[in-house]
Amino acid sequence: MHTLFKHQLLVLSLIWLSIGVFAQKQNVIRPGDIWPDEDGKHIQAHGGGIIKIGKTYYWYGEERSKGLDTNYRYVSCYSSKDLMNWKFRGDVVKMSDPENLGRRWVLERPKVFYNKRTKKYVMYFHLDNSTYKFARVGIAVSDKPDGQFTYVKSFRPLGHESRDIGQFIDDDGTAYLVFEDRPFGFRIARLADDYMDVEKEMTLVKAHMEGGAIVHYQGLYYSIGSALTGWKANPNKYSTAPTLEGPWTEFKDIAPPETNTYGSQSTMLIKVVGKKTTTIIFMADVWKPGTQWDSRYIWMPLKIGEGKLWVPEPKPWTLNIKTGEWKYVQENAGEQKKNN
Ligand code: DGJ
């Protein structure tokens, strides 16, 4: 073969290889922007939940892509080792109305718990009719993290109304469901041994809040939630307690109130325990009710400690999953425009 031709071929293959291997690699989280998965498609995992199995994180959420069959509700699953690059593992739920709830029935805020004893992945979700009066949780189960999940049942946890749900797994592995029980407030309750039921109420926090999330950090429990304003953002707030049973302090702002939590609503608090430090990530949804497929995410590392919690102004940042450290990333204007 001619040397020049050989050289061109080599250069071409190198370019091809680097596009294939590195094209979608991203070491930046850009709060509020389009978040491409490893195939370059905006992540569809709204109102989601994250669990870690071994070294892999799984992100489940509401799949709201444009053009889905409106008879079904879908839950997606993504996996990642670094919380920045996510691989789409498929829609692990494709469900038709399981309880005769009517045309505009609702499946929201799916959360998956892995039960070590039964080796089952147990998904909880908010199941409702179009007027949000059914107010129950639904459960679906799978043998694998990436599905398929099979519908099992729906119920009101401990007999109470349940709308937005949140999941909390304590440092000792105990699993809890956080659920909004209007008009009383929100409850934190422990799951049964096999996770197929809600067994014991830990507390009723008498605050009218949804999007509830909890983290255990340096000996204190922090709970955050949003006000009840539908899809519209509002100033989310936090409270702390020495035990899950309380007593819970008064709720305080987590961000400048005039920003309405930077246009987002709380969903979960992710605890990343690294070799050097622990970072708590505020995971929130930026809802776009008219174009839900374009809803975005705000993930920001929290300033947290000694009873205080604050979400810094959202800007691009990067995480070192091994050390647990994070830092802001300076980006040029081109990079910013591409993802808006
Ligand atoms: C706010 C909730 O947090 C969302 O999950 C969703 O239920 C909307 N309300 C519906 O208006």
Side-chain angles (χ1 to χ4, degrees), residues 62 108-109 126 132 164 210-211 230-231 265 287:
E62 298 158 24
E108 287 178 345
R109 296 187 176 261
H126 171 198
Y132 287 82
D164 275 9
E210 57 185 9
W231 300 113
Q265 184 188 22
W287 298 110

Side-chain angles (χ1 to χ4, degrees), residues 158-189:
L158 302 164
H160 301 297
E161 291 187 16
S162 174
R163 293 186 175 82
D164 275 9
I165 59 164
Q167 87 185 112
F168 171 57
I169 299 166
D170 209 339
D171 301 329
D172 65 1
T174 313
Y176 300 90
L177 188 75
V178 184
F179 59 101
E180 196 247 324
D181 175 16
R182 221 165 298 176
F184 299 103
F186 69 90
R187 297 182 195 265
I188 305 169

